Amino acid sequence: MKLIIYISLILSVYFSTPSPGVLADNNLETGIDLLKRCSSCHALGDISNNKVGPSLYGVFGRRAGKVAGYKYSKALINSKIIWDETTIDKYIANPKEYIPGNKMAFWGIKSIKERDAVINYLKIATE
Ligand code: HEC
């Protein structure tokens, strides 16, 4: 439950240092809310915990299809993608279009703002 601790930490910092620019932006809630959807299929803070999807712990900078013990689709393994802000953004925008034949049953997030938000918090939660 490292993620919950992280989130409460972020929230307490957020609310104790109000700044008009930050408060006007709902990026934080959006990111945390969307990340919950990812974490229903993916562990974020524990590399040895594969759920429906592989653990995303340390995913930034890693090649696709490399978590031990997880049975990936051939499409994902053969994609040779390195996961970073750009590739994760393209994948979660439309998983089926970015890697045809992959098995992530996720509808995709159409809004760039929402994808930005979720990727920001994915970074924190998976490092
Ligand atoms: C319904 C379950 C489900 C949801 C929800 C889901 N995923 Fe996935 N995800 C998967 C599965 C299954 C795979 C493996 C795909 C394959 O092998 O083809 C995967 C693979 C991935 C990978 C590649 C990991 C690797 O080791 O190469 C990334 C990155 C990823 N998902 C990110 C996300 C993010 C970010 C979200 C939330 C916005 C999300 N996923 C939501 C099921 C899900």
Side-chain angles (χ1 to χ4, degrees):
M1 288 292 91
K2 215 160 111 192
L3 179 62
I4 299 203
I5 297 167
Y6 262 123
I7 290 171
S8 12
L9 204 70
I10 292 165
L11 284 175
S12 63
V13 171
Y14 180 73
F15 288 115
S16 60
T17 54
S19 104
V22 175
L23 283 178
D25 187 352
N26 67 357
N27 188 289
L28 181 78
E29 288 102 289
T30 309
I32 290 172
D33 190 47
L34 288 167
L35 204 54
K36 280 190 213 144
R37 298 191 208 162
C38 315
S39 61
S40 63
C41 291
H42 292 286
L44 302 174
D46 178 3
I47 191 66
S48 61
N49 178 12
N50 293 317
K51 300 185 182 179
V52 172
S55 170
L56 294 181
Y57 181 72
V59 70
F60 287 85
R62 189 165 65 215
R63 218 182 108 167
K66 288 292 178 191
V67 173
Y70 184 79
K71 215 170 161 12
Y72 290 96
S73 67
K74 285 207 175 67
L76 196 94
I77 293 171
N78 293 338
S79 73
K80 298 192 169 62
I81 288 166
I82 307 289
W83 295 121
D84 60 20
E85 288 90 340
T86 311
T87 53
I88 292 178
D89 181 73
K90 287 186 187 159
Y91 187 39
I92 66 176
N94 191 338
K96 295 273 177 280
E97 191 178 284
Y98 188 48
I99 311 175
N102 91 96
K103 61 172 187 175
M104 173 154 113
F106 183 63
W107 60 95
I109 301 171
K110 302 298 164 224
S111 148
I112 298 178
K113 215 179 150 207
E114 289 187 357
R115 292 201 305 275
D116 263 9
V118 77
I119 288 168
N120 279 341
Y121 292 97
L122 185 64
K123 246 190 233 164
I124 297 169
T126 58
E127 57 182 28

